[in-house]
Amino acid sequence: MDYNLLRALHIISMIAWMAGIMYLPRLFAYHADAVPGGEMDKLFQTMELKLYRIIMGPAMVATWVFGLALIYVNATVIRGGWEYLHQPWMITKLAGIVFLTGWHHFLGAARKKYVAGTNTRTARFWKMTNELPFIAAIIMVIAVTTEFGS
């Protein structure tokens, strides 16, 4: 596969994943004020489920698949070895990926709490934490584009 196409697919899937990972907490913020069992509660549950399963899940998997393919191509064709994985910029990116994947699953668990009627998080919590993935993405993009520390 063409390397630039692989990079493009990775970026596109990451954009879709980030859109979902940033929108779901916003839905949770609105959902926190809905009456449990009410019409809005059920509407938010439907929206959250579809966002999580139809957009976020496949986008996360695609991001991982294309990202791992990029790592492989970089190590075997472009850079001629796996040493670059130990560079500070790559460690920063990998740490960001671990954070985003963990956050994704944290949001999935929170969605299940809304469904069960056991949510304890406030709208304020979701609004305050909504920007964490974006901050991680900024750090990751700067790390990769500047390749600092190499």
Side-chain angles (χ1 to χ4, degrees), residues 109-120:
R111 189 194 65 76
K112 289 179 181 177
K113 288 181 181 178
Y114 273 105
V115 171
T118 59
N119 171 58
T120 58

Side-chain angles (χ1 to χ4, degrees), residues 60-103:
M60 179 185 69
V61 170
T63 300
W64 269 91
V65 168
F66 294 130
L68 290 171
L70 284 168
I71 288 172
Y72 177 78
V73 169
N74 265 293
T76 60
V77 177
I78 296 174
R79 296 176 190 266
W82 298 92
E83 296 80 25
Y84 81 100
L85 292 175
H86 300 285
Q87 294 292 324
W89 66 272
M90 182 54 96
I91 293 169
T92 301
K93 178 168 183 184
L94 295 173
I97 294 164
V98 169
F99 167 74
L100 289 177
T101 301
W103 186 251

Side-chain angles (χ1 to χ4, degrees), residues 3-4 9 28 34-35 54 79 98 101 130 140 149:
Y3 182 73
N4 286 330
L9 293 171
F28 288 162
V35 176
I54 297 172
R79 296 176 190 266
V98 169
T101 301
N130 190 42
M140 291 165 62

Side-chain angles (χ1 to χ4, degrees), residues 21-44:
I21 218 168
M22 292 177 67
Y23 185 50
L24 190 56
R26 182 54 59 176
L27 287 176
F28 288 162
Y30 298 135
H31 194 170
D33 296 329
V35 176
E39 185 178 324
M40 291 306 293
D41 178 49
K42 293 189 185 310
L43 176 62
F44 281 122

Side-chain angles (χ1 to χ4, degrees), residues 13 16-18 20-21 24 48-65 101 104-105:
S13 60
W17 187 25
M18 287 298 298
I21 218 168
L24 190 56
E48 292 157 1
L49 176 66
K50 289 182 177 183
L51 178 61
Y52 190 77
R53 288 216 179 128
I54 297 172
I55 296 173
M56 290 172 61
M60 179 185 69
V61 170
T63 300
W64 269 91
V65 168
T101 301
H104 176 103
H105 292 294

